[in-house]
Amino acid sequence: MFSLCYLPTAGRLTLTVIKCRNLKAMDITGYSDPYVKVSLICDGRRLKKKKTTIKKNTLNPNYNEAIIFDIPPENMDQVSLHISVMDYDLVGHNEIIGVNRVGSHAEGLGRDHWNEMLAYPRKPIAHWHPLLEAKRSEKEWKARTASFDSQGSCPSPRLPSSP
């Protein structure tokens, strides 16, 4: 669950990550160490990314953390937000639990939430968003935004493990 609020006079978009529930267990403990990463995308390129704090050993984290982006009103129809719920790992790669996208070019609820935010400026609009499957959506996302990712849709190379 997150809220969106846009202040057109200040050109400020605030995404407040409120909470997640029923996340997928990613660690052998049966829990995850989730955090939320938000990327500001314009014309297929990532302009900025910001993260919440990591909540240890939980599948139902509460955040209540605001992430602020400065976006002039004339650019609002060209940007979108890519929201990834990640599992923090001390060793190795952080794993994607699931993703979502909001913006005028997003599909379904992501577009509806964005349009509702624009229709009611200066008012926080909160909605629950289901996370998309990490494998499928990451592949689709990379295919659409290959211009900012030199890897294209290939997975990141992994270092060989030591004997």
Side-chain angles (χ1 to χ4, degrees):
M1 173 185 264
F2 60 86
S3 72
L4 295 172
C5 182
Y6 187 63
L7 304 173
T9 51
R12 179 173 300 139
L13 172 64
T14 303
L15 179 145
T16 303
V17 180
I18 300 168
K19 59 184 166 182
C20 300
R21 66 178 178 208
N22 303 324
L23 293 177
K24 189 165 62 171
M26 303 295 281
D27 299 337
I28 57 171
T29 60
Y31 293 102
S32 294
D33 301 317
Y35 67 94
V36 180
K37 180 171 72 171
V38 182
S39 298
L40 175 65
I41 308 295
C42 182
D43 295 329
R45 291 182 30 235
R46 182 173 60 198
L47 301 180
K48 289 191 186 283
K49 69 178 176 186
K50 299 184 180 187
K51 301 175 190 178
T52 65
T53 57
I54 299 163
K55 302 296 182 184
K56 297 282 190 177
N57 297 316
T58 182
L59 300 179
N60 301 292
N62 288 307
Y63 293 99
N64 294 314
E65 296 181 34
I67 294 176
I68 298 169
F69 295 102
D70 292 321
I71 307 167
E74 61 271 14
N75 293 57
M76 284 301 286
D77 60 346
Q78 300 161 330
V79 299
S80 62
L81 298 175
H82 183 240
I83 301 155
S84 304
V85 179
M86 307 287 293
D87 174 51
Y88 173 78
D89 285 320
L90 196 57
V91 179
H93 298 283
N94 294 342
E95 298 172 279
I96 298 174
I97 297 173
V99 299
N100 210 295
R101 184 173 167 189
V102 292
S104 54
H105 302 297
E107 294 86 34
L109 183 58
R111 183 181 54 235
D112 296 345
H113 192 175
W114 187 264
N115 289 336
E116 188 178 352
M117 169 201 66
L118 293 175
Y120 298 97
R122 296 173 295 284
K123 181 180 175 194
I125 308 291
H127 286 294
W128 282 101
H129 288 261
L131 290 175
L132 300 176
E133 182 73 27
K135 299 268 189 286
R136 191 188 93 224
S137 55
E138 182 183 15
K139 189 175 177 184
E140 289 173 8
W141 178 253
K142 284 186 175 182
R144 280 193 230 143
T145 59
S147 61
F148 80 86
D149 183 1
S150 62
Q151 297 283 328
S153 57
C154 300
S156 302
R158 295 196 178 209
L159 298 173
S161 56
S162 309

